[in-house]
Amino acid sequence: MSVNVEKRTDPPGESDYATAAWELKEQIRSAEGVLRQRRGFFVDAYRRSTAHLLVENDRLAAFASVRRDGYILFLAVHPDHRGRGHAERLIADVAENHRSVTCHARTTNRQALGFYEHLGFEVIRRIDDYYEDGGDAYYLKLGGESLRERLSGFVGR
């Protein structure tokens, strides 16, 4: 069976994929205990951001919601679509459009921290009680002079 991966975008003010993004985020939250946001917060942030989307055979496989300053609000890849380079592709899209790329990640989310470190993100600082539930976070920034080259290498695999 051939898989068609299509890149789409929901620009600020549009929310064609907001419901699908919320459902994907909730599926991951339920299974993995991460991406814990209230629906109102999520939908509002999604609508104010640019959502980079990867759609496989008309189903949302992955998305990244990004503010104008390159801050990644949400990054999620459907569990059935992991290991295919989708997250790297989304981060590469963000880096191509922003001078700086930053995000927060829970200090306990080893999978996310390992992924970001693999791409060249650096921990800038730790923030205690960052999340609504009292969880701590690291503020991360994508570093390095050859950022575009590194990311294009990941995506070109």
Side-chain angles (χ1 to χ4, degrees):
M1 176 174 151
S2 130
V3 176
N4 181 24
V5 178
E6 186 179 341
K7 188 166 75 169
R8 298 182 186 168
T9 304
D10 260 353
E14 292 188 24
S15 55
D16 293 345
Y17 285 89
T19 298
W22 169 259
E23 290 170 358
L24 172 55
K25 182 207 77 68
E26 281 297 283
Q27 179 182 356
I28 293 168
R29 181 198 55 77
S30 177
E32 301 171 24
V34 296
L35 301 177
R36 300 178 213 158
Q37 293 87 19
R38 289 172 288 121
R39 185 179 183 107
F41 172 82
F42 177 86
V43 171
D44 183 53
Y46 183 98
R47 287 184 178 145
R48 287 184 287 119
S49 67
T50 297
H52 299 267
L53 309 152
L54 294 178
V55 178
E56 287 190 5
N57 297 324
D58 293 323
R59 297 197 62 176
L60 184 63
F63 75 96
S65 293
V66 184
R67 292 189 322 210
R68 282 183 285 181
D69 62 357
Y71 177 81
I72 300 169
L73 293 161
F74 311 109
L75 174 66
V77 178
H78 190 285
D80 293 343
H81 299 279
R82 293 182 181 166
R84 299 180 189 174
H86 291 337
E88 289 93 342
R89 183 175 177 188
L90 291 169
I91 297 292
D93 286 348
V94 173
E96 190 173 303
N97 293 300
H98 296 86
R99 294 177 69 197
S100 173
V101 179
T102 58
C103 66
H104 285 92
R106 283 186 183 268
T107 58
T108 57
N109 189 343
R110 295 289 159 216
Q111 184 175 358
L113 293 169
F115 166 76
Y116 287 123
E117 180 182 343
H118 168 71
L119 289 182
F121 278 80
E122 300 167 354
V123 173
I124 302 302
R125 68 181 166 272
R126 179 189 173 109
I127 304 167
D128 294 334
D129 299 319
Y130 175 78
Y131 294 102
E132 241 181 39
D133 63 2
D136 302 332
Y138 289 122
Y139 178 68
L140 306 165
K141 182 175 182 177
L142 190 55
E145 292 299 314
S146 61
L147 169 63
R148 283 183 178 30
E149 293 168 9
R150 284 188 68 180
L151 287 173
S152 67
F154 288 124
V155 173
R157 290 187 285 171

mmCIF file of all heavy atoms in Angstrom, residues 22-50:
data_model
loop_
_atom_site.group_PDB
_atom_site.id
_atom_site.type_symbol
_atom_site.label_atom_id
_atom_site.label_comp_id
_atom_site.label_asym_id
_atom_site.label_seq_id
_atom_site.Cartn_x
_atom_site.Cartn_y
_atom_site.Cartn_z
ATOM 1 N N TRP A 22 -6.422 18.368 18.250
ATOM 2 C CA TRP A 22 -6.838 18.157 19.635
ATOM 3 C C TRP A 22 -7.004 16.661 19.923
ATOM 4 O O TRP A 22 -6.532 16.159 20.944
ATOM 5 C CB TRP A 22 -8.144 18.896 19.936
ATOM 6 C CG TRP A 22 -8.743 18.491 21.248
ATOM 7 C CD1 TRP A 22 -9.785 17.635 21.454
ATOM 8 C CD2 TRP A 22 -8.306 18.897 22.553
ATOM 9 N NE1 TRP A 22 -10.035 17.491 22.801
ATOM 10 C CE2 TRP A 22 -9.144 18.259 23.495
ATOM 11 C CE3 TRP A 22 -7.306 19.735 23.009
ATOM 12 C CZ2 TRP A 22 -8.994 18.433 24.865
ATOM 13 C CZ3 TRP A 22 -7.157 19.910 24.386
ATOM 14 C CH2 TRP A 22 -7.999 19.260 25.287
ATOM 15 N N GLU A 23 -7.663 15.940 19.026
ATOM 16 C CA GLU A 23 -7.885 14.504 19.238
ATOM 17 C C GLU A 23 -6.569 13.730 19.264
ATOM 18 O O GLU A 23 -6.394 12.830 20.091
ATOM 19 C CB GLU A 23 -8.828 13.963 18.166
ATOM 20 C CG GLU A 23 -10.243 14.477 18.343
ATOM 21 C CD GLU A 23 -11.170 14.178 17.169
ATOM 22 O OE1 GLU A 23 -10.717 13.596 16.159
ATOM 23 O OE2 GLU A 23 -12.360 14.539 17.275
ATOM 24 N N LEU A 24 -5.625 14.092 18.398
ATOM 25 C CA LEU A 24 -4.313 13.444 18.411
ATOM 26 C C LEU A 24 -3.592 13.747 19.716
ATOM 27 O O LEU A 24 -3.042 12.851 20.358
ATOM 28 C CB LEU A 24 -3.476 13.901 17.211
ATOM 29 C CG LEU A 24 -2.012 13.452 17.192
ATOM 30 C CD1 LEU A 24 -1.890 11.943 17.310
ATOM 31 C CD2 LEU A 24 -1.331 13.970 15.928
ATOM 32 N N LYS A 25 -3.592 15.014 20.123
ATOM 33 C CA LYS A 25 -2.946 15.409 21.375
ATOM 34 C C LYS A 25 -3.563 14.647 22.558
ATOM 35 O O LYS A 25 -2.840 14.142 23.416
ATOM 36 C CB LYS A 25 -3.075 16.923 21.585
ATOM 37 C CG LYS A 25 -2.380 17.411 22.844
ATOM 38 C CD LYS A 25 -3.011 18.662 23.380
ATOM 39 C CE LYS A 25 -4.285 18.455 24.116
ATOM 40 N NZ LYS A 25 -4.208 17.753 25.402
ATOM 41 N N GLU A 26 -4.868 14.532 22.582
ATOM 42 C CA GLU A 26 -5.547 13.831 23.670
ATOM 43 C C GLU A 26 -5.236 12.335 23.667
ATOM 44 O O GLU A 26 -5.098 11.727 24.721
ATOM 45 C CB GLU A 26 -7.055 14.070 23.614
ATOM 46 C CG GLU A 26 -7.452 15.416 24.172
ATOM 47 C CD GLU A 26 -7.111 15.538 25.643
ATOM 48 O OE1 GLU A 26 -7.838 14.981 26.487
ATOM 49 O OE2 GLU A 26 -6.098 16.205 25.953
ATOM 50 N N GLN A 27 -5.113 11.740 22.495
ATOM 51 C CA GLN A 27 -4.739 10.330 22.413
ATOM 52 C C GLN A 27 -3.357 10.118 23.031
ATOM 53 O O GLN A 27 -3.140 9.175 23.794
ATOM 54 C CB GLN A 27 -4.747 9.859 20.956
ATOM 55 C CG GLN A 27 -4.341 8.426 20.795
ATOM 56 C CD GLN A 27 -4.302 7.982 19.336
ATOM 57 O OE1 GLN A 27 -4.649 8.726 18.433
ATOM 58 N NE2 GLN A 27 -3.873 6.766 19.118
ATOM 59 N N ILE A 28 -2.421 11.024 22.728
ATOM 60 C CA ILE A 28 -1.064 10.931 23.272
ATOM 61 C C ILE A 28 -1.077 11.196 24.778
ATOM 62 O O ILE A 28 -0.433 10.492 25.552
ATOM 63 C CB ILE A 28 -0.120 11.894 22.530
ATOM 64 C CG1 ILE A 28 0.043 11.430 21.075
ATOM 65 C CG2 ILE A 28 1.225 12.006 23.235
ATOM 66 C CD1 ILE A 28 0.698 12.438 20.166
ATOM 67 N N ARG A 29 -1.852 12.184 25.218
ATOM 68 C CA ARG A 29 -1.951 12.489 26.652
ATOM 69 C C ARG A 29 -2.460 11.283 27.424
ATOM 70 O O ARG A 29 -1.900 10.901 28.456
ATOM 71 C CB ARG A 29 -2.879 13.680 26.904
ATOM 72 C CG ARG A 29 -2.975 14.042 28.401
ATOM 73 C CD ARG A 29 -4.180 14.889 28.720
ATOM 74 N NE ARG A 29 -5.441 14.313 28.293
ATOM 75 C CZ ARG A 29 -6.094 13.324 28.918
ATOM 76 N NH1 ARG A 29 -5.584 12.771 30.003
ATOM 77 N NH2 ARG A 29 -7.234 12.860 28.454
ATOM 78 N N SER A 30 -3.495 10.652 26.900
ATOM 79 C CA SER A 30 -4.087 9.507 27.577
ATOM 80 C C SER A 30 -3.103 8.336 27.667
ATOM 81 O O SER A 30 -3.003 7.682 28.705
ATOM 82 C CB SER A 30 -5.346 9.081 26.830
ATOM 83 O OG SER A 30 -5.902 7.946 27.405
ATOM 84 N N ALA A 31 -2.369 8.087 26.608
ATOM 85 C CA ALA A 31 -1.461 6.944 26.563
ATOM 86 C C ALA A 31 -0.133 7.198 27.262
ATOM 87 O O ALA A 31 0.435 6.302 27.875
ATOM 88 C CB ALA A 31 -1.200 6.536 25.109
ATOM 89 N N GLU A 32 0.372 8.456 27.169
ATOM 90 C CA GLU A 32 1.735 8.732 27.624
ATOM 91 C C GLU A 32 1.834 9.734 28.770
ATOM 92 O O GLU A 32 2.913 9.943 29.316
ATOM 93 C CB GLU A 32 2.567 9.235 26.433
ATOM 94 C CG GLU A 32 2.625 8.225 25.302
ATOM 95 C CD GLU A 32 3.265 8.777 24.040
ATOM 96 O OE1 GLU A 32 4.049 9.741 24.126
ATOM 97 O OE2 GLU A 32 2.978 8.229 22.959
ATOM 98 N N GLY A 33 0.735 10.389 29.110
ATOM 99 C CA GLY A 33 0.746 11.328 30.225
ATOM 100 C C GLY A 33 1.442 12.645 29.932
ATOM 101 O O GLY A 33 1.823 13.358 30.856
ATOM 102 N N VAL A 34 1.599 12.991 28.660
ATOM 103 C CA VAL A 34 2.211 14.268 28.278
ATOM 104 C C VAL A 34 1.207 15.064 27.453
ATOM 105 O O VAL A 34 0.137 14.572 27.124
ATOM 106 C CB VAL A 34 3.531 14.058 27.490
ATOM 107 C CG1 VAL A 34 4.582 13.373 28.364
ATOM 108 C CG2 VAL A 34 3.290 13.256 26.226
ATOM 109 N N LEU A 35 1.563 16.294 27.123
ATOM 110 C CA LEU A 35 0.694 17.195 26.348
ATOM 111 C C LEU A 35 -0.615 17.464 27.087
ATOM 112 O O LEU A 35 -1.704 17.348 26.538
ATOM 113 C CB LEU A 35 0.418 16.635 24.944
ATOM 114 C CG LEU A 35 1.617 16.386 24.050
ATOM 115 C CD1 LEU A 35 1.174 15.760 22.731
ATOM 116 C CD2 LEU A 35 2.380 17.667 23.787
ATOM 117 N N ARG A 36 -0.497 17.855 28.337
ATOM 118 C CA ARG A 36 -1.669 18.094 29.176
ATOM 119 C C ARG A 36 -2.065 19.558 29.116
ATOM 120 O O ARG A 36 -1.491 20.382 29.821
ATOM 121 C CB ARG A 36 -1.364 17.738 30.624
ATOM 122 C CG ARG A 36 -0.970 16.319 30.831
ATOM 123 C CD ARG A 36 -0.641 16.066 32.282
ATOM 124 N NE ARG A 36 0.404 15.068 32.356
ATOM 125 C CZ ARG A 36 1.212 14.900 33.383
ATOM 126 N NH1 ARG A 36 1.105 15.661 34.432
ATOM 127 N NH2 ARG A 36 2.127 13.971 33.349
ATOM 128 N N GLN A 37 -3.025 19.880 28.290
ATOM 129 C CA GLN A 37 -3.572 21.225 28.241
ATOM 130 C C GLN A 37 -5.092 21.134 28.261
ATOM 131 O O GLN A 37 -5.672 20.148 27.830
ATOM 132 C CB GLN A 37 -3.161 21.969 26.948
ATOM 133 C CG GLN A 37 -1.695 22.276 26.826
ATOM 134 C CD GLN A 37 -0.916 21.128 26.190
ATOM 135 O OE1 GLN A 37 -1.474 20.269 25.530
ATOM 136 N NE2 GLN A 37 0.384 21.106 26.412
ATOM 137 N N ARG A 38 -5.702 22.216 28.731
ATOM 138 C CA ARG A 38 -7.156 22.304 28.667
ATOM 139 C C ARG A 38 -7.557 22.607 27.230
ATOM 140 O O ARG A 38 -6.829 23.246 26.489
ATOM 141 C CB ARG A 38 -7.664 23.397 29.608
ATOM 142 C CG ARG A 38 -7.530 23.029 31.082
ATOM 143 C CD ARG A 38 -7.868 24.197 31.997
ATOM 144 N NE ARG A 38 -6.768 25.181 31.908
ATOM 145 C CZ ARG A 38 -6.917 26.434 31.519
ATOM 146 N NH1 ARG A 38 -8.096 26.909 31.183
ATOM 147 N NH2 ARG A 38 -5.879 27.249 31.465
ATOM 148 N N ARG A 39 -8.734 22.157 26.837
ATOM 149 C CA ARG A 39 -9.186 22.324 25.453
ATOM 150 C C ARG A 39 -9.232 23.797 25.045
ATOM 151 O O ARG A 39 -8.787 24.150 23.952
ATOM 152 C CB ARG A 39 -10.544 21.668 25.237
ATOM 153 C CG ARG A 39 -10.968 21.721 23.775
ATOM 154 C CD ARG A 39 -12.324 21.055 23.521
ATOM 155 N NE ARG A 39 -12.608 21.100 22.109
ATOM 156 C CZ ARG A 39 -12.566 20.062 21.298
ATOM 157 N NH1 ARG A 39 -12.252 18.882 21.768
ATOM 158 N NH2 ARG A 39 -12.844 20.194 20.021
ATOM 159 N N GLY A 40 -9.775 24.661 25.899
ATOM 160 C CA GLY A 40 -9.863 26.084 25.562
ATOM 161 C C GLY A 40 -8.494 26.692 25.307
ATOM 162 O O GLY A 40 -8.313 27.458 24.344
ATOM 163 N N PHE A 41 -7.532 26.367 26.154
ATOM 164 C CA PHE A 41 -6.160 26.866 25.966
ATOM 165 C C PHE A 41 -5.589 26.355 24.654
ATOM 166 O O PHE A 41 -5.010 27.107 23.867
ATOM 167 C CB PHE A 41 -5.270 26.430 27.132
ATOM 168 C CG PHE A 41 -3.816 26.743 26.913
ATOM 169 C CD1 PHE A 41 -3.310 28.007 27.174
ATOM 170 C CD2 PHE A 41 -2.944 25.771 26.423
ATOM 171 C CE1 PHE A 41 -1.969 28.297 26.953
ATOM 172 C CE2 PHE A 41 -1.613 26.051 26.193
ATOM 173 C CZ PHE A 41 -1.127 27.327 26.463
ATOM 174 N N PHE A 42 -5.758 25.062 24.404
ATOM 175 C CA PHE A 42 -5.215 24.452 23.196
ATOM 176 C C PHE A 42 -5.795 25.106 21.939
ATOM 177 O O PHE A 42 -5.066 25.503 21.031
ATOM 178 C CB PHE A 42 -5.478 22.949 23.189
ATOM 179 C CG PHE A 42 -5.000 22.270 21.929
ATOM 180 C CD1 PHE A 42 -3.698 21.834 21.822
ATOM 181 C CD2 PHE A 42 -5.849 22.101 20.843
ATOM 182 C CE1 PHE A 42 -3.237 21.224 20.660
ATOM 183 C CE2 PHE A 42 -5.409 21.502 19.681
ATOM 184 C CZ PHE A 42 -4.093 21.061 19.592
ATOM 185 N N VAL A 43 -7.123 25.186 21.872
ATOM 186 C CA VAL A 43 -7.776 25.715 20.676
ATOM 187 C C VAL A 43 -7.391 27.183 20.453
ATOM 188 O O VAL A 43 -7.101 27.586 19.326
ATOM 189 C CB VAL A 43 -9.303 25.519 20.755
ATOM 190 C CG1 VAL A 43 -10.023 26.247 19.633
ATOM 191 C CG2 VAL A 43 -9.643 24.028 20.726
ATOM 192 N N ASP A 44 -7.355 27.962 21.512
ATOM 193 C CA ASP A 44 -6.970 29.370 21.382
ATOM 194 C C ASP A 44 -5.534 29.508 20.877
ATOM 195 O O ASP A 44 -5.259 30.284 19.957
ATOM 196 C CB ASP A 44 -7.136 30.083 22.729
ATOM 197 C CG ASP A 44 -6.826 31.556 22.631
ATOM 198 O OD1 ASP A 44 -7.415 32.236 21.759
ATOM 199 O OD2 ASP A 44 -5.976 32.039 23.413
ATOM 200 N N ALA A 45 -4.623 28.743 21.463
ATOM 201 C CA ALA A 45 -3.219 28.795 21.039
ATOM 202 C C ALA A 45 -3.068 28.302 19.606
ATOM 203 O O ALA A 45 -2.308 28.877 18.814
ATOM 204 C CB ALA A 45 -2.349 27.970 21.996
ATOM 205 N N TYR A 46 -3.776 27.243 19.257
ATOM 206 C CA TYR A 46 -3.723 26.697 17.897
ATOM 207 C C TYR A 46 -4.169 27.757 16.893
ATOM 208 O O TYR A 46 -3.512 27.972 15.872
ATOM 209 C CB TYR A 46 -4.611 25.455 17.793
ATOM 210 C CG TYR A 46 -4.564 24.777 16.438
ATOM 211 C CD1 TYR A 46 -3.744 23.674 16.229
ATOM 212 C CD2 TYR A 46 -5.343 25.228 15.362
ATOM 213 C CE1 TYR A 46 -3.695 23.041 14.994
ATOM 214 C CE2 TYR A 46 -5.294 24.606 14.132
ATOM 215 C CZ TYR A 46 -4.469 23.520 13.946
ATOM 216 O OH TYR A 46 -4.412 22.912 12.718
ATOM 217 N N ARG A 47 -5.258 28.426 17.173
ATOM 218 C CA ARG A 47 -5.801 29.427 16.238
ATOM 219 C C ARG A 47 -4.893 30.639 16.085
ATOM 220 O O ARG A 47 -4.899 31.287 15.046
ATOM 221 C CB ARG A 47 -7.183 29.871 16.693
ATOM 222 C CG ARG A 47 -8.227 28.818 16.456
ATOM 223 C CD ARG A 47 -9.611 29.300 16.808
ATOM 224 N NE ARG A 47 -10.574 28.251 16.503
ATOM 225 C CZ ARG A 47 -11.652 28.012 17.214
ATOM 226 N NH1 ARG A 47 -11.935 28.749 18.266
ATOM 227 N NH2 ARG A 47 -12.466 27.034 16.879
ATOM 228 N N ARG A 48 -4.122 30.958 17.118
ATOM 229 C CA ARG A 48 -3.220 32.116 17.038
ATOM 230 C C ARG A 48 -1.876 31.767 16.413
ATOM 231 O O ARG A 48 -1.094 32.647 16.091
ATOM 232 C CB ARG A 48 -2.998 32.711 18.432
ATOM 233 C CG ARG A 48 -4.223 33.454 18.946
ATOM 234 C CD ARG A 48 -3.979 34.121 20.286
ATOM 235 N NE ARG A 48 -3.926 33.123 21.354
ATOM 236 C CZ ARG A 48 -2.861 32.903 22.134
ATOM 237 N NH1 ARG A 48 -1.776 33.596 22.000
ATOM 238 N NH2 ARG A 48 -2.908 31.973 23.063
ATOM 239 N N SER A 49 -1.612 30.485 16.216
ATOM 240 C CA SER A 49 -0.313 30.055 15.710
ATOM 241 C C SER A 49 -0.423 29.603 14.250
ATOM 242 O O SER A 49 -1.507 29.537 13.683
ATOM 243 C CB SER A 49 0.204 28.889 16.561
ATOM 244 O OG SER A 49 -0.613 27.746 16.389
ATOM 245 N N THR A 50 0.735 29.297 13.683
ATOM 246 C CA THR A 50 0.772 28.619 12.390
ATOM 247 C C THR A 50 0.939 27.135 12.685
ATOM 248 O O THR A 50 1.853 26.743 13.407
ATOM 249 C CB THR A 50 1.960 29.109 11.535
ATOM 250 O OG1 THR A 50 1.781 30.492 11.260
ATOM 251 C CG2 THR A 50 2.057 28.330 10.230
#
